[in-house]
Amino acid sequence: MVGARDPELVRPPFDRQGRSFRTLRLSLTPVCNFACRYCDPESSPGKEPVPITRRPADFYLRLVERLLEVTPLHTVRLTGGEPTLYAQLASLVAGLAALGLSRICLTTNGFLLESQLEALKAAGLTDLNVSVDAIEPAVFERVTGRGGLDRVLGAIDRARGLALPLKINATIMRGLNDCQVLPVFEQFAAAGIEVRFLELMKMGPLQTNHEQFFFSEAEILARICERFTVRRLERQPSATATLFETGDGRRFGIIANHSAPFCSDCDRLRLDHEGRLFGCLSSAIGYTVPDDKHALIATLKGALEEKQPQRFTGSALSMRSIGG
Ligand code: SAM
Ligand code: SF4
């Protein structure tokens, strides 16, 4: 259970900027059934990959348990690749809930989600982020390399029916889906669902042409302001998204890695599908999790040192491999 920390180790590792790890992003597989233009345009989706069991749920649970002994983690976000391809997802969620974590979240493309929702909710999933980059089917297919918007929307309806708290992620690329900013916002806002627009990050396939496709926070806001008045809300500490509210009370967020970087109070730690720790998205080095608590603290300190001081500058890794 959370709280069973060694009294000698009550002060968790902090870096020079006072940052420590409180939220964990656990990437369950680098495999995906989509081929999003900003993440993995070279893969060939269509054939459904077989469910993945390379590492059993117990493997990840033991690692999280060890981390909980020395860090004040309160949230685990399950991601990938596509986490709904991981065969033991519901058992893993149940195990994480039993460890006492206050939030267990899932980020998914939603294509395989609907049939898993009931089991995930029963296991203790607390909230969901579903990626929907376009509401027009042809644009959705152009971004994701695969059709299936109707299936994703069906899963979203089912999640609402189960009263699972839900947000939408929409990553915007100039010339590809910037025409969808208003339609995505209006469709989901009308249903009372908050959208998080993501500025494109210079990762993986975008190393050479990021500038060409980048669509800024100001440009996203300008699109929303074509139809709504908007006010900026106060940013919460360690939050990735800046929140906004329209004159008629609809909320949305923008995760503006480039325009409004949030590295200075970042509290995120990453664990990849092989159980390697990463202190920052920009780090290419993964650490193994030592058994010994003091060695683990030293490892976490090393991982904290790898965080960017102020802003993310890019990574050759795709989000798919390190976990978005
Ligand atoms: N497959 C799941 C999904 O798409 O939601 C989970 C993994 S995906 C890597 C997590 C999030 O990262 C998605 O919302 C996706 O849009 C976002 N993402 C991936 N590559 C990105 C990039 N280069 N810039 C900004 N967001 C990105
Ligand atoms: Fe797959 Fe998610 Fe990457 Fe799209 S963003 S290719 S759905 S891992």
Side-chain angles (χ1 to χ4, degrees):
M1 290 288 290
V2 177
R5 295 182 182 111
D6 184 332
E8 281 178 31
L9 304 171
V10 281
R11 187 170 156 74
F14 279 90
D15 75 355
R16 277 171 281 210
Q17 292 182 209
R19 296 177 292 191
S20 71
F21 294 122
R22 293 176 198 279
T23 64
L24 177 70
R25 300 205 175 196
L26 171 49
S27 175
L28 297 173
T29 173
V31 177
C32 190
N33 48 355
F34 278 17
C36 298
R37 284 282 298 275
Y38 44 74
C39 183
D40 187 21
E42 301 303 324
S43 88
S44 46
K47 206 165 122 245
E48 213 53 67
V50 287
I52 290 144
T53 46
R54 186 172 154 73
R55 296 286 191 181
D58 275 352
F59 169 77
Y60 298 115
L61 289 170
R62 277 199 308 274
L63 296 179
V64 174
E65 206 170 5
R66 260 186 261 159
L67 289 170
L68 283 170
E69 286 173 3
V70 297
T71 58
L73 292 178
H74 49 62
T75 297
V76 174
R77 178 169 296 281
L78 301 169
T79 181
E82 179 43 46
T84 56
L85 288 168
Y86 179 65
Q88 298 182 7
L89 188 57
S91 315
L92 178 59
V93 170
L96 290 169
L99 289 176
L101 287 147
S102 54
R103 283 184 70 209
I104 304 160
C105 322
L106 179 71
T107 301
T108 170
N109 64 32
F111 190 79
L112 296 173
L113 180 65
E114 189 169 355
S115 63
Q116 303 185 28
L117 275 169
E118 234 164 279
L120 289 172
K121 181 163 188 212
L125 190 75
T126 58
D127 52 275
L128 265 177
N129 280 48
V130 183
S131 300
V132 185
D133 301 325
I135 215 66
E136 199 181 300
V139 183
F140 182 86
E141 192 167 338
R142 235 185 298 148
V143 177
T144 61
R146 172 162 201 170
L149 176 63
D150 47 347
R151 283 180 66 147
V152 177
L153 297 178
I156 290 170
D157 275 350
R158 182 83 189 108
R160 292 181 71 212
L162 291 170
L164 252 176
L166 167 79
K167 290 193 186 73
I168 301 299
N169 283 5
T171 300
I172 306 300
M173 283 179 92
R174 181 183 307 284
L176 192 69
N177 67 335
D178 61 277
C179 60
Q180 296 292 294
V181 170
L182 252 181
V184 166
F185 173 66
E186 288 192 302
Q187 162 117 358
F188 290 111
I193 302 173
E194 211 170 285
V195 179
R196 299 281 157 101
F197 293 100
L198 277 74
E199 275 188 356
L200 197 63
M201 294 180 74
K202 190 175 177 181
M203 293 189 72
L206 296 162
Q207 283 295 287
T208 52
N209 57 6
H210 175 258
E211 272 177 37
Q212 178 192 340
F213 291 111
F214 181 70
F215 198 75
S216 70
E217 176 185 76
E219 291 170 297
I220 294 169
L221 275 177
R223 290 289 164 85
I224 308 268
C225 289
E226 285 172 14
R227 216 161 287 170
F228 299 91
T229 55
V230 169
R231 74 181 177 101
R232 189 181 291 260
L233 304 176
E234 203 176 317
R235 179 180 175 268
Q236 297 301 309
S238 299
T240 51
T242 306
L243 295 183
F244 299 86
E245 194 172 74
T246 60
D248 57 359
R250 303 163 198 229
R251 281 197 177 187
F252 64 96
I254 303 182
I255 302 184
N257 285 282
H258 290 264
S259 305
F262 38 79
C263 298
S264 62
D265 63 353
C266 172
D267 70 356
R268 288 167 288 286
L269 174 67
R270 291 182 153 77
L271 202 53
D272 78 357
H273 65 289
E274 291 290 3
R276 289 173 295 230
L277 284 172
F278 293 83
C280 179
L281 261 186
S282 60
S283 155
I285 307 156
Y287 299 97
T288 50
V289 180
D291 286 330
D292 175 74
K293 281 183 193 171
H294 294 274
L296 177 54
I297 287 177
T299 300
L300 290 169
K301 282 185 176 155
L304 272 169
E305 290 304 321
E306 291 191 346
K307 282 195 178 299
Q308 293 290 324
Q310 294 302 332
R311 58 171 56 242
F312 176 77
T313 48
S315 166
L317 289 179
S318 148
M319 201 81 115
R320 185 172 74 92
S321 51
I322 194 168

